[in-house]
């Protein structure tokens, strides 16, 4: 079997995906960033400093946990959870935020900016900025500042400025638009800490490299705890795709391992009701500097998306994912809002862990698949973040379900639609 | 020689800078856009930059963002814009440069876009998020050439020598210089270094050089015209259109503002 092409080519392409589709103002700075990254990431001093911070500050390695009660509940494959929820700040995002903040500092940038959806990348960036003494501004869609209010407060307490973004769909996509506008304006003294394997080169490969520690650790831990370096299946949720690439990279060349990425199925199949780029409405496009699979209409206008989890609510997927999908190396599927919420409750009550709603999508797929596998099989799931930030969303969901069940017991499924989805439906009509 | 090149050639003979107004197609609707283009041509526009609205305009400030939102809300599509150009280009008498983000063009397919655009009478294309590096990769330039469309690329204050060479190599018609690092729209004043930078760039380029981003007043237009071959005014006009939409004097106000802006362009 030929080794799969992992690194992008010299122009930042993964096969036909990737590149640098940005205004001219950013071209030279991206060159500079790529050169700095290539140079510093190979230096022993940089690697040492990053490792020290990840170990003694962030808490790596994160545990690999054999979830026996959940395994028993499914009655099939042995479930192992990679506990990125236990990383400092509560999600895998800190791996990349510390890496990029350290790079920004070596490049002499005094100010960093970031976008955030669920708020986890924003919190991670604010944390890394505080740690390294950098000024930090975080852009966040107004809609997300409401559903992830706790994280807004955390960022502010960490000394960052949160700028709510009121344009477009008022979610992650629009936060990235605004962050790019800031960067294009302040590029000389500012580094943009992009939070996923998205955007123009070198971001997709740089963010992947900072996260690959997740899978590298999991391999070693599996060997010790499960007696194999190769799980039968590895599952991760995919928004932009950073936690998934972080977990999968260590297993890409190990063809015994089935790799499954789970996108947000939202509330339905129509454009605007979900965030599954490999699902209905996804096609090749160019968004936020990269050529990849994008949810868009026939005129190349970017579609609205919906997911109960803010971190997956985004219309494009990282370019490396698009290539790995073409190659058939990663399989992509989706879990809908209701399935994710059910998985959230299941992990909470069987294992005493509140998972992030993003990670709940990976668990939701495990719930479908694990019972079908024999007990000898090993299933590795990336628990990419913790769910404290989602407590209110989950409670609201439950309250609406109960309210609707009281009003019309026959119609429960229909009401399980998140109010955001209804708002989306309207904005789609207005746009059309 | 392309119609766009002819504009700059004529302006050079007349010892003045070309005036290039920008407007967003479909703001507030395509019929109004047609009338606005005519008003701009009547007011003294030499070349019109017609903006294709996009859902995620990362290079634009709030004024053009709002215009794009209005245009999309009124149902504007790339096909509709090309049909509009086809109906009005001849009568208008000034060349039209489409100003777009790459995705709407990419979604259409380069070949199909170029064929329709050329048939409609479009003179050239500027994709704000398609640097020549990616253009070369996507075979953008050869396809546009085959249909006789000019390809205008951007230069910015951050562009290196190597990038200036590359942009010069792949541009036809003219080169568009972004006056400052930033997005479109008024920032109060133009950067102090602008005159020096434009002078130095013009020495390195054989193509005409137009300057845009943040040029708002006739005084600013005149000061840029002293050193550049063309002056682009976008947000200031789009803002006027926003304020006057629905008023009886929309067209006369736009024509008058274009006249004011062109007054000081003589060198």
């Amino acid at each position: 079997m030929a080794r799969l092409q992992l690194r992008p080519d010299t122009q930042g392409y993964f096969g036909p995906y990737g590149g640098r589709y940005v205004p001219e103002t950013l071209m030279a700075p991206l060159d500079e960033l790529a050169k700095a990254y290539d140079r510093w990431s190979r230096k022993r001093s940089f690697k040492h400093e990053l490792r020290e911070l990840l170990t003694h500050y962030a808490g790596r390695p994160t545990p690999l946990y054999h979830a026996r009660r959940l395994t028993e509940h499914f009655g099939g494959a042995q479930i192992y959870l990679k506990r990125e929820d236990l990383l400092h700040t509560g999600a895998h995002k800190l791996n990349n935020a510390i890496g990029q903040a350290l790079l920004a500092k070596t490049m002499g940038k005094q100010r960093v900016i970031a976008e955030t959806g669920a708020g986890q990348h924003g919190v991670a960036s604010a944390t890394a900025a505080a740690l390294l003494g950098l000024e930090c501004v975080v852009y966040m869609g107004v809609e997300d500042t409401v559903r992830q209010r706790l994280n807004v407060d955390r960022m502010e307490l960490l000394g960052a400025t949160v700028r709510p973004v009121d344009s477009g769909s008022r979610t992650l996509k629009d936060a990235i638009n605004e962050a790019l506008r800031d960067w294009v304006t302040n590029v000389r003294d500012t580094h943009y800490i992009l939070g996923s394997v998205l955007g123009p080169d070198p971001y997709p490969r740089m963010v992947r490299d900072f996260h690959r520690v997740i899978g590298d650790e999991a391999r070693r831990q599996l060997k010790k705890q499960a007696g194999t370096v190769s799980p039968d299946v590895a599952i991760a949720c995919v928004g932009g795709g950073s936690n998934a690439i972080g977990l999968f990279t260590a297993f890409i060349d190990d063809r015994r391992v089935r790799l499954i990425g789970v996108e947000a199925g939202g509330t339905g199949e129509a454009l605007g009701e979900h965030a599954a780029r490999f699902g209905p409405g996804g096609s090749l496009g160019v968004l936020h500097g990269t050529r990849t699979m994008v949810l868009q209409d026939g005129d190349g206008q970017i579609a609205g998306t919906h997911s109960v989890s803010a971190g997956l609510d985004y219309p494009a997927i990282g370019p490396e994912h698009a290539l790995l999908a073409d190659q058939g190396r990663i399989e992509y599927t989706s879990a809908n809002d209701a399935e994710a919420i059910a998985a959230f409750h299941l992990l909470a009550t069987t294992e005493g862990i509140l998972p992030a709603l993003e990670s709940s999508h990976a668990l939701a797929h495990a719930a479908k698949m694990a019972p079908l596998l024999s007990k000898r099989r090993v299933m590795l799931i990336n628990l990419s973040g913790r769910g404290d930030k989602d407590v209110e969303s989950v409670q609201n969901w439950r309250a609406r379900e109960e309210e609707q069940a009281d009003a019309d017991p026959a119609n429960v499924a229909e009401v399980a639609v998140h109010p955001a989805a209804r708002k989306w439906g309207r904005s789609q009509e207005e746009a059309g | 020689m392309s119609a766009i090149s002819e504009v700059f050639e004529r302006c050079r003979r007349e010892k003045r800078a070309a005036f290039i107004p920008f407007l967003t197609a479909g703001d507030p609707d395509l019929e109004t856009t047609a009338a606005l283009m005519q008003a701009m041509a009547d007011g003294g526009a030499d070349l019109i930059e017609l903006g294709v609205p996009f859902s995620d305009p990362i290079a634009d400030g709030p004024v053009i963002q709002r215009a794009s939102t209005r245009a999309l809300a009124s149902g504007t599509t790339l096909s509709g814009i090309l049909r509009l150009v086809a109906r009005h280009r001849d009568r208008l008498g000034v060349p039209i440069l489409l100003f777009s983000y790459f995705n709407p063009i990419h979604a259409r397919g380069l070949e199909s876009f170029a064929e329709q655009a050329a048939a409609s009478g479009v003179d050239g294309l500027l994709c704000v998020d398609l640097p020549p590096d990616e253009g070369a990769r996507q075979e953008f330039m050869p396809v546009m050439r085959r249909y006789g469309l000019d390809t205008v690329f951007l230069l910015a204050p951050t562009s290196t020598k190597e990038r200036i060479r590359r942009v010069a190599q792949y541009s036809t018609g003219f080169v568009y210089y972004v006056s400052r690092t930033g997005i479109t729209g008024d920032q109060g004043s133009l950067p102090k270094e602008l005159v020096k930078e434009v002078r130095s760039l013009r020495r390195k380029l054989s193509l005409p050089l137009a300057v845009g981003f943040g040029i708002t007043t006739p005084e600013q237009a005149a000061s840029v015209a002293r050193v550049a071959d063309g002056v682009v005014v976008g947000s200031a006009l789009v803002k006027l259109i926003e304020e006057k939409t629905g008023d009886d004097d929309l067209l006369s106000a736009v024509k008058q503002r274009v006249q004011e802006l062109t007054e000081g362009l003589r060198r």
Side-chain angles (χ1 to χ4, degrees), chain A residues 8-87:
Chain A
D9 67 15
T10 53
Q11 283 183 287
Y13 275 85
F14 301 87
Y17 309 107
R20 286 183 191 166
Y21 294 84
V22 293
E24 173 65 23
T25 309
L26 293 179
M27 287 301 281
L30 283 169
D31 264 334
E32 187 198 343
L33 176 62
K35 282 197 190 104
Y37 174 64
D38 289 340
R39 181 157 154 256
W40 286 99
S41 62
R42 287 190 199 113
K43 282 204 190 236
R44 194 176 297 171
S45 60
F46 184 89
K47 285 197 277 199
H48 177 75
E49 194 172 355
L50 181 58
R51 197 166 43 237
E52 288 289 301
L53 287 174
L54 289 178
T55 306
H56 301 296
Y57 178 76
R60 300 216 72 92
T62 58
L64 180 75
Y65 169 63
H66 185 191
R68 289 199 175 78
R69 294 235 313 142
L70 186 64
T71 299
E72 202 174 299
H73 177 89
F74 291 146
Q78 302 300 310
I79 309 285
Y80 286 83
L81 302 176
K82 181 59 178 160
R83 297 291 308 273
E84 289 300 293
D85 61 318
L86 291 177
L87 193 66

Side-chain angles (χ1 to χ4, degrees), chain A residues 104-105 108-112 133-136 189-191:
Chain A
K105 192 149 185 168
K109 309 276 180 179
Q110 284 306 310
R111 177 177 181 266
V112 293
L134 302 166
E135 183 193 342
C136 180
D189 69 351
T190 297
H191 172 70

Side-chain angles (χ1 to χ4, degrees), chain B:
Chain B
M1 188 183 271
S2 76
I4 292 176
S5 299
E6 275 172 23
V7 162
F8 284 97
E9 182 54 31
R10 193 180 66 237
C11 290
R12 195 183 58 81
R13 282 198 310 268
E14 295 173 4
K15 296 201 174 0
R16 64 183 179 90
F19 183 69
I20 310 169
F22 167 96
L23 77 170
T24 301
D27 170 30
D29 55 60
L30 284 174
E31 278 321 300
T32 309
T33 298
L36 284 166
M37 288 196 297
Q38 191 62 57
M40 287 173 168
D42 295 345
D46 296 294
L47 163 65
I48 289 175
E49 258 187 31
L50 187 57
V52 177
F54 182 51
S55 51
D56 294 84
I58 57 160
D60 285 303
V63 171
I64 295 177
Q65 286 177 44
R66 288 197 299 271
S68 301
T69 305
R70 288 191 297 269
L72 291 175
S74 78
T76 306
T77 62
L78 185 56
S79 304
I81 294 168
L82 295 179
R83 283 196 297 273
L84 175 88
V85 173
R87 282 199 301 278
H88 296 278
R89 167 68 178 85
D90 286 348
R91 187 163 13 122
L92 203 58
V94 300
I96 290 177
L97 176 74
L98 282 190
F99 190 102
S100 184
Y101 288 82
F102 188 47
N103 201 48
I105 310 291
H106 181 272
R108 168 62 50 92
L110 292 189
E111 188 85 28
S112 152
F113 163 79
E115 187 181 353
Q116 273 186 29
S120 309
V122 166
D123 296 278
L125 175 64
L126 192 171
C127 282
V128 66
D129 56 351
L130 184 77
D133 320 50
E134 302 304 345
R137 177 115 183 177
Q138 301 298 332
E139 308 254 308
F140 173 79
M141 286 75 90
V143 174
M144 299 302 135
R145 296 280 177 282
R146 208 173 322 132
Y147 290 93
L149 296 168
D150 275 328
T151 55
V152 177
F153 289 102
L154 301 168
L155 281 174
T158 51
S159 300
T160 55
K161 248 188 237 166
E162 152 65 19
R163 298 208 52 78
I164 293 168
R165 258 200 307 278
R166 188 170 306 180
V167 165
Q169 179 191 345
Y170 289 116
S171 297
T172 58
F174 68 101
V175 171
Y176 186 131
Y177 183 67
V178 175
S179 69
R180 54 178 153 76
T181 60
I183 50 179
T184 58
D186 183 16
Q187 293 286 313
S189 62
L190 294 171
K192 294 188 295 287
E193 324 79 65
L194 182 62
V195 165
K196 214 177 86 196
E197 282 172 6
V198 171
R199 279 213 178 102
S200 136
L201 255 184
R202 271 183 87 207
R203 279 196 296 273
K204 294 177 190 143
L205 299 170
S206 54
L207 283 173
L209 184 68
V211 178
F213 278 46
I215 301 172
T216 306
T217 65
E219 293 72 33
Q220 288 171 338
S223 74
V224 171
R226 279 195 285 278
V227 288
D229 303 292
V231 177
V232 184
V233 176
S235 297
L237 289 165
V238 173
K239 196 166 174 214
L240 179 67
I241 293 168
E242 178 177 60
E243 286 161 4
K244 290 280 179 185
T245 288
D247 292 0
D248 294 340
D249 64 342
L250 167 68
L251 298 178
S252 59
V254 168
K255 180 180 165 186
Q256 194 193 336
R257 182 69 59 89
V258 170
Q259 277 169 341
E260 290 161 9
L261 286 161
T262 52
E263 260 162 26
L265 301 198
R266 224 159 245 295
R267 280 195 283 268

Side-chain angles (χ1 to χ4, degrees), chain A residues 23-362:
Chain A
E24 173 65 23
T25 309
L26 293 179
M27 287 301 281
L30 283 169
D31 264 334
E32 187 198 343
L33 176 62
K35 282 197 190 104
Y37 174 64
D38 289 340
R39 181 157 154 256
W40 286 99
S41 62
R42 287 190 199 113
K43 282 204 190 236
R44 194 176 297 171
S45 60
F46 184 89
K47 285 197 277 199
H48 177 75
E49 194 172 355
L50 181 58
R51 197 166 43 237
E52 288 289 301
L53 287 174
L54 289 178
T55 306
H56 301 296
Y57 178 76
R60 300 216 72 92
T62 58
L64 180 75
Y65 169 63
H66 185 191
R68 289 199 175 78
R69 294 235 313 142
L70 186 64
T71 299
E72 202 174 299
H73 177 89
F74 291 146
Q78 302 300 310
I79 309 285
Y80 286 83
L81 302 176
K82 181 59 178 160
R83 297 291 308 273
E84 289 300 293
D85 61 318
L86 291 177
L87 193 66
H88 179 42
T89 72
H92 72 290
K93 294 289 187 188
L94 191 64
N95 300 322
N96 169 54
I98 287 186
Q100 284 197 47
L102 208 52
L103 184 63
K105 192 149 185 168
T106 61
M107 290 175 75
K109 309 276 180 179
Q110 284 306 310
R111 177 177 181 266
V112 293
I113 56 171
E115 83 294 341
T116 198
Q120 289 302 133
H121 176 59
V123 168
S125 299
T127 299
L131 173 68
L132 297 170
L134 302 166
E135 183 193 342
C136 180
V137 173
V138 180
Y139 291 93
M140 188 172 191
V142 166
E143 167 113 342
D144 293 336
T145 61
V146 174
R147 56 179 165 171
Q148 312 275 219
R149 203 183 52 210
L150 177 66
N151 276 342
V152 176
D153 295 342
R154 291 171 76 197
M155 287 183 265
E156 285 174 347
L157 289 170
L158 289 161
T161 305
V162 179
R163 296 211 178 126
V165 178
D166 199 16
S167 56
S169 60
R170 317 197 308 171
T171 58
L172 179 56
K173 165 178 86 88
D174 310 281
I176 297 181
N177 288 343
E178 212 50 41
L180 283 167
R181 290 180 189 123
D182 180 319
W183 201 33
V184 108
T185 307
N186 301 300
V187 66
R188 287 184 172 115
D189 69 351
T190 297
H191 172 70
Y192 178 16
I193 305 184
L194 216 162
S196 194
V197 286
L198 295 165
D201 178 73
Y203 284 104
R205 61 187 167 98
M206 178 167 72
V207 177
R208 172 199 67 201
D209 294 350
F210 285 136
H211 280 307
R212 70 163 294 161
V213 63
I214 302 171
D216 290 339
E217 280 177 11
R219 253 177 108 80
R220 288 197 297 273
Q221 292 166 321
L222 274 172
K223 184 166 187 202
K224 212 164 162 191
Q225 295 172 238
T228 174
V229 294
S230 311
D232 295 283
V233 192
I235 303 178
C237 66
V238 188
S242 66
N243 91 81
I245 284 282
L247 182 71
F248 294 162
T249 297
F251 300 102
I252 292 275
D253 290 325
D254 184 349
R255 304 296 295 223
R256 289 166 299 187
V257 185
R258 250 182 103 177
L259 304 175
I260 302 178
V262 186
E263 299 185 285
T267 56
E269 298 220 321
L271 212 51
E273 289 179 348
H274 65 87
R277 289 63 46 103
F278 295 115
S283 55
L284 186 58
V286 173
L287 180 66
H288 294 149
T290 193
R291 186 170 193 253
T292 186
M293 294 299 286
V294 177
L295 287 164
Q296 57 184 331
D297 69 16
D299 288 311
Q301 303 297 338
I302 306 306
T305 50
H306 163 74
S307 170
V308 67
S309 83
L312 303 184
D313 203 350
Y314 180 72
I317 192 165
E320 188 169 7
H321 281 282
L323 178 65
L324 288 164
D326 278 1
Q327 292 172 333
R329 184 61 192 98
I330 303 181
E331 304 161 50
Y332 294 86
T333 181
S334 66
N336 67 29
D337 284 357
E339 291 165 340
I341 296 269
F344 178 99
H345 287 300
L346 182 64
L347 192 71
T349 51
T350 56
E351 296 288 354
I353 299 170
L354 297 182
L357 280 176
E358 290 75 23
S359 322
S360 300
H361 285 71

